[in-house]
Amino acid sequence: PASASALGLEVPGYAMLYTIPAVSSYVGGDVVAGVAASGMWEESPLTLFIDLGTNGEIVLGNRDWMASASCSAGPAFEGGGIKFGMRATSGAIEDIKINPVSLEPMSITIGMKKPKGICGSAIINGVADLLESCVIDQNGKFRRDLDTGRVRPEEQSEGSVQEFVLAFKENTQLDEDITLTEIDIENLMRAKGAMYAGYQTLLTGVGLTMDALERVIIAGGFGHFVNVEKAIIIGLLPDVPKDRVSFIGNGSLKGARLSLISTGLMGRTLTLARSITNFELSESPGYMDSFMAAMFFPHTDITLFPSVEISIKTCREKAMKLREENR
């Protein structure tokens, strides 16, 4: 603890500032606070705690032991690296559904305004629907034989990259069409691949597999808006039963609040941070192999996603049949 006023905060002189300790350089006090708020550190189910963001932090374990790692996922989940990506503010497309027959998209925007961009949740949901509707393949590439004007070459790429028109310019706040490109999809694939490879590497490091997971807790402002089913379809989350996945929102803020009203918890966060063994993924020999294997929707090893294998096959067969019937 330190004097809050001595650090420049405009508070009474008796006010003290407490900080929650970090595990490592990339797994900070915000993650420790989130783990404290989740309660996993005092419960028995084997839990995977995921803080989704540019640096996706993960913690695996239960009351007996815990291990952590940090995955450099990049900014795709928050709209970065996406042609029309933006944060989740007014006018951002937050959800996308694709009609499997007409291939027309239905977009929902924040504030019910005309769209001006795409936020992370819509990118995940949209790509999952494009995959299930057989508009993109599992490499994230658009099919070239579709009977729709929505799929077209991107002008700036001189035709080498395809894009899908989500909203034509007359229906947007911009003076141009809002599209999702193959490069956008590739950036999403990298981000989800980095996260999934992190889960695998951490589990392998402690001698476990995905089948051992009893619970998944998702934290972070963005994580609160993730559609679990769609995130599993693209391979961002492990293929576990949906009832094993829960959300705690801003875990770091929850942990900080709990620490303010519980001196016992504040004191135990130091013990908690010290009890978490950190894995440096850059030094783990299998991480890059796992990352490359995850550069596919949902994964090159489809046995890791049994429910998705059935879902994609069923949806694609139904979509193709309906399209044939409507020709």
Side-chain angles (χ1 to χ4, degrees):
S3 169
S5 59
L7 295 174
L9 299 177
E10 296 181 3
V11 294
Y14 59 79
M16 301 299 290
L17 175 69
Y18 292 82
T19 59
I20 295 177
V23 177
S24 67
S25 299
Y26 296 106
V27 180
D30 56 338
V31 178
V32 175
V35 170
S38 75
M40 62 177 284
W41 57 285
E42 53 185 359
E43 296 171 350
S44 59
L46 181 66
T47 302
L48 179 65
F49 176 92
I50 305 170
D51 192 333
L52 284 173
T54 300
N55 284 315
E57 294 92 4
I58 53 179
V59 179
L60 175 71
N62 57 16
R63 64 188 178 196
D64 297 321
W65 60 271
M66 282 182 288
S68 67
S70 177
C71 316
S72 183
F77 298 135
E78 297 171 348
I82 307 299
K83 185 176 181 180
F84 288 95
M86 63 179 289
R87 290 189 174 274
T89 57
S90 180
I93 297 173
E94 63 174 341
D95 194 10
I96 300 168
K97 294 187 181 300
I98 307 296
N99 184 303
V101 180
S102 66
L103 303 184
E104 287 297 297
M106 183 185 76
S107 300
I108 298 174
T109 62
I110 296 174
M112 304 304 287
K113 306 288 186 182
K114 281 189 173 184
K116 61 180 179 182
I118 318 165
C119 68
S121 60
I123 296 166
I124 291 172
N125 296 350
V127 169
D129 255 36
L130 289 168
L131 181 65
E132 288 190 300
S133 300
C134 207
V135 178
I136 61 172
D137 61 24
Q138 291 177 271
N139 287 306
K141 303 301 181 183
F142 288 104
R143 288 181 53 190
R144 270 54 169 178
D145 60 343
L146 298 173
D147 185 19
T148 176
R150 293 275 179 178
V151 177
R152 68 189 189 192
E154 185 193 27
E155 291 182 5
Q156 296 177 357
S157 69
E158 297 182 352
S160 62
V161 174
Q162 299 285 304
E163 63 183 6
F164 184 88
V165 181
L166 294 172
F168 292 105
K169 67 178 180 181
E170 58 268 23
N171 298 317
T172 74
Q173 295 186 46
L174 309 176
D175 191 30
E176 58 182 325
D177 301 337
I178 294 177
T179 65
L180 189 65
T181 75
E182 287 177 336
I183 293 174
D184 296 337
I185 295 171
E186 185 178 337
N187 287 333
L188 174 65
M189 190 182 287
R190 283 200 194 95
K192 75 91 185 174
M195 293 301 300
Y196 195 85
Y199 316 149
Q200 281 192 311
T201 304
L202 200 52
L203 281 159
T204 301
V206 296
L208 297 172
T209 64
M210 292 290 178
D211 294 336
L213 292 177
E214 297 175 89
R215 184 170 60 177
V216 175
I217 297 176
I218 302 174
F222 165 69
H224 186 69
F225 299 98
V226 169
N227 180 309
V228 173
E229 182 179 357
K230 303 298 185 184
I232 292 175
I233 286 171
I234 69 167
L236 170 59
L237 296 179
D239 192 1
V240 299
K242 314 302 182 293
D243 59 4
R244 294 188 192 177
V245 182
S246 60
F247 301 85
I248 63 169
N250 191 325
S252 57
L253 188 57
K254 278 186 172 64
R257 285 173 174 166
L258 288 172
S259 297
L260 281 174
I261 61 175
S262 171
T263 54
L265 180 61
M266 173 61 78
R268 293 187 71 177
T269 56
L270 179 58
T271 303
L272 176 58
R274 288 175 174 172
S275 69
I276 299 175
T277 301
N278 189 61
F279 282 68
E280 291 291 344
L281 296 182
S282 60
E283 298 175 4
S284 300
Y287 177 72
M288 280 308 298
D289 290 338
S290 296
F291 173 68
M292 293 306 297
M295 290 290 287
F296 198 71
F297 292 130
H299 197 276
T300 53
D301 182 1
I302 196 62
T303 62
L304 293 169
F305 292 85
S307 73
V308 179
E309 182 179 19
I310 297 169
S311 172
I312 290 178
K313 183 179 180 181
T314 302
C315 288
R316 289 188 163 208
E317 287 176 352
K318 187 181 295 184
M320 297 301 288
K321 182 179 179 181
L322 287 170
R323 286 179 208 170
E324 287 296 325
E325 291 175 352
N326 282 271
R327 278 185 176 176

